[in-house]
Amino acid sequence: MRDKIIFDLIEQESNRQDNDIQLIASENYVSEQVMEAQGSILTNKYAEGYPGKRYYGGCEVIDEIEVIAQERFKKLFKTDYHVNVQPHSGSQANQGVFNCILNPGDKVLGMSLDHGGHLTHGHALSLTGKLYEISSYVTDENGELNYDEIRKIAIDVKPKLIICGASAFSLEIDFEKFSLIAKEVGAYLLADIAHIAGLVATGNHMSPFAHVDFVTTTTHKTLRGPRGGVIACKEEHAKLLDRSVFPGIQGGPLEHVIGAKAVAFYEALSDDFKVYQDQVVANCKAFCNQFIELGYTIISGRTENHLFLIDVLQSVGVTGKDAENILGKHNITVNKNSIPNDTLSPVISSGIRLGTAAMTTKGYNESDFILLANKIDQILKENK
Ligand code: DSN
């Protein structure tokens, strides 16, 4: 018997995704073949363990798929790092790294959430914030990363782990500078490239590989794959890292998702993917510059990747929450976002975050984004 209730709701959501203008910087639209793999019979299989070392029989095909996913990831990022494709999400990828090298009470230095970092980089409400002694670095008065300041904090704190990478930061991150700081203070270095992974893969953003001990990513943002995570690490950490993910923090891997990750990496290795990422970045610049033309305050003043934040409170006198609601009523989906030194709570916030990955997949070019900026400006001003 078909579950009409859920399939009707999926149809509704499908219509929303088809008809709305989707600007959430962490979302994208996957291909039919990614969905086909994720919706496949691979979901039926238990495969605790790793290729060649499973705790269940019948894993021969699963092993091949998981190894292909690992190999394609290495090829995509031009790295010989060890790769674990089992993390169910970006948060679990980060947790896998923490569990590998940290003990409760160890010191971690990460980017503050309201300056663009992620909850798992040490926010008090995340398990990270509860288990470890967290210190944060912030962006400077221009919304930039001041590496001299970060170095001073690192020397002062002496963290065991430094995290670089962000969820809401529009400028390029210099992983080499972070690696010099980490070396100087004897810290491990983790680059969380969840947002920029697609750009890194195509050379549109500096790569962290060779500079850091660990790289974590999600596979569903600019990388345009299924919802999930991956960890890569220097070979010396491989054994402990694998043990940290399974049995440390996870049980059976989601092999249907791993199959879909492998398909997404295959797509990302194509020439078309480079064309796509170039367009994502070009679109983001055009979109951001149009808002600047219209007089809006952009956090960090510009974009060098696939996203940027607008201080809507200062620009048009509406909160992030209200801007999200107003635009939502006009079928434009965005998310409210805290901005550096926000005076409002995260559930209200003064900013919105805009990203171009999803609508670029839908075929938008620079002119479309310029028109869209004008439309958003008009909607916000008419409805505040
Ligand atoms: N929640 C994601 C985002 O929207 O950036 C990060 O995990």
mmCIF file of all heavy atoms in Angstrom, residues 24-26 91 118 167-168 194-195 218 221 335 353, ligand 1:
data_model
loop_
_atom_site.group_PDB
_atom_site.id
_atom_site.type_symbol
_atom_site.label_atom_id
_atom_site.label_comp_id
_atom_site.label_asym_id
_atom_site.label_seq_id
_atom_site.Cartn_x
_atom_site.Cartn_y
_atom_site.Cartn_z
ATOM 1 N N ILE A 24 19.808 29.633 -0.510
ATOM 2 C CA ILE A 24 20.498 29.165 0.696
ATOM 3 C C ILE A 24 21.869 28.624 0.280
ATOM 4 O O ILE A 24 21.969 27.727 -0.564
ATOM 5 C CB ILE A 24 19.638 28.129 1.444
ATOM 6 C CG1 ILE A 24 18.410 28.856 2.006
ATOM 7 C CG2 ILE A 24 20.452 27.451 2.549
ATOM 8 C CD1 ILE A 24 17.457 28.038 2.787
ATOM 9 N N ALA A 25 22.909 29.211 0.878
ATOM 10 C CA ALA A 25 24.278 28.988 0.376
ATOM 11 C C ALA A 25 24.762 27.563 0.551
ATOM 12 O O ALA A 25 25.732 27.155 -0.089
ATOM 13 C CB ALA A 25 25.227 29.952 1.083
ATOM 14 N N SER A 26 24.106 26.806 1.430
ATOM 15 C CA SER A 26 24.552 25.433 1.697
ATOM 16 C C SER A 26 23.732 24.396 0.938
ATOM 17 O O SER A 26 23.901 23.202 1.161
ATOM 18 C CB SER A 26 24.468 25.171 3.202
ATOM 19 O OG SER A 26 23.216 25.609 3.703
ATOM 20 N N SER A 91 28.874 17.529 10.502
ATOM 21 C CA SER A 91 29.065 17.574 11.954
ATOM 22 C C SER A 91 29.751 16.308 12.424
ATOM 23 O O SER A 91 30.652 16.338 13.272
ATOM 24 C CB SER A 91 27.715 17.710 12.670
ATOM 25 O OG SER A 91 27.167 18.959 12.391
ATOM 26 N N HIS A 118 31.298 27.501 12.325
ATOM 27 C CA HIS A 118 30.184 26.548 12.400
ATOM 28 C C HIS A 118 29.949 26.156 13.855
ATOM 29 O O HIS A 118 30.869 26.227 14.680
ATOM 30 C CB HIS A 118 30.510 25.302 11.560
ATOM 31 C CG HIS A 118 29.353 24.365 11.423
ATOM 32 N ND1 HIS A 118 29.288 23.168 12.083
ATOM 33 C CD2 HIS A 118 28.219 24.467 10.695
ATOM 34 C CE1 HIS A 118 28.153 22.557 11.769
ATOM 35 N NE2 HIS A 118 27.477 23.320 10.927
ATOM 36 N N SER A 167 31.162 28.699 7.682
ATOM 37 C CA SER A 167 29.846 28.475 7.056
ATOM 38 C C SER A 167 29.258 29.765 6.502
ATOM 39 O O SER A 167 28.302 29.717 5.734
ATOM 40 C CB SER A 167 28.857 27.915 8.088
ATOM 41 O OG SER A 167 29.168 26.603 8.388
ATOM 42 N N ALA A 168 29.793 30.875 6.958
ATOM 43 C CA ALA A 168 29.216 32.149 6.539
ATOM 44 C C ALA A 168 30.327 33.196 6.436
ATOM 45 O O ALA A 168 30.335 34.188 7.168
ATOM 46 C CB ALA A 168 28.150 32.592 7.534
ATOM 47 N N ALA A 194 33.501 22.377 4.105
ATOM 48 C CA ALA A 194 32.130 21.976 3.718
ATOM 49 C C ALA A 194 31.524 22.910 2.674
ATOM 50 O O ALA A 194 30.947 22.456 1.687
ATOM 51 C CB ALA A 194 31.249 21.918 4.951
ATOM 52 N N HIS A 195 31.660 24.225 2.897
ATOM 53 C CA HIS A 195 31.007 25.158 1.973
ATOM 54 C C HIS A 195 31.731 25.266 0.636
ATOM 55 O O HIS A 195 31.108 25.324 -0.418
ATOM 56 C CB HIS A 195 30.895 26.541 2.626
ATOM 57 C CG HIS A 195 29.547 26.750 3.227
ATOM 58 N ND1 HIS A 195 28.518 27.331 2.549
ATOM 59 C CD2 HIS A 195 29.070 26.393 4.434
ATOM 60 C CE1 HIS A 195 27.440 27.339 3.322
ATOM 61 N NE2 HIS A 195 27.748 26.778 4.469
ATOM 62 N N THR A 218 31.317 18.483 3.784
ATOM 63 C CA THR A 218 30.051 17.858 3.421
ATOM 64 C C THR A 218 30.119 17.618 1.919
ATOM 65 O O THR A 218 31.007 18.142 1.238
ATOM 66 C CB THR A 218 28.838 18.753 3.747
ATOM 67 O OG1 THR A 218 29.056 20.036 3.170
ATOM 68 C CG2 THR A 218 28.641 18.887 5.240
ATOM 69 N N LYS A 221 26.935 20.621 -0.664
ATOM 70 C CA LYS A 221 26.825 22.073 -0.862
ATOM 71 C C LYS A 221 27.356 22.386 -2.265
ATOM 72 O O LYS A 221 26.752 21.985 -3.246
ATOM 73 C CB LYS A 221 27.562 22.809 0.255
ATOM 74 C CG LYS A 221 26.948 22.517 1.635
ATOM 75 C CD LYS A 221 27.601 23.285 2.746
ATOM 76 C CE LYS A 221 26.911 23.057 4.065
ATOM 77 N NZ LYS A 221 27.511 21.999 4.897
ATOM 78 N N ASN A 335 18.304 32.447 4.143
ATOM 79 C CA ASN A 335 18.276 32.264 5.597
ATOM 80 C C ASN A 335 18.819 33.480 6.312
ATOM 81 O O ASN A 335 19.758 34.129 5.858
ATOM 82 C CB ASN A 335 19.011 30.995 6.040
ATOM 83 C CG ASN A 335 20.497 31.020 5.798
ATOM 84 O OD1 ASN A 335 20.962 30.708 4.710
ATOM 85 N ND2 ASN A 335 21.253 31.398 6.824
ATOM 86 N N ARG A 353 22.059 35.520 4.550
ATOM 87 C CA ARG A 353 23.169 34.922 3.792
ATOM 88 C C ARG A 353 22.633 34.490 2.432
ATOM 89 O O ARG A 353 21.579 33.863 2.347
ATOM 90 C CB ARG A 353 23.701 33.723 4.577
ATOM 91 C CG ARG A 353 24.925 33.063 3.978
ATOM 92 C CD ARG A 353 25.323 31.818 4.766
ATOM 93 N NE ARG A 353 24.304 30.781 4.716
ATOM 94 C CZ ARG A 353 24.498 29.501 5.053
ATOM 95 N NH1 ARG A 353 25.672 29.102 5.495
ATOM 96 N NH2 ARG A 353 23.511 28.624 4.989
HETATM 97 N N1 DSN B 1 24.002 24.328 8.304
HETATM 98 C C1 DSN B 1 24.989 24.479 7.260
HETATM 99 C C2 DSN B 1 24.880 25.784 6.589
HETATM 100 O O1 DSN B 1 23.791 26.176 6.252
HETATM 101 O O2 DSN B 1 25.892 26.428 6.344
HETATM 102 C C3 DSN B 1 26.346 24.239 7.752
HETATM 103 O O3 DSN B 1 26.412 22.961 8.251
#
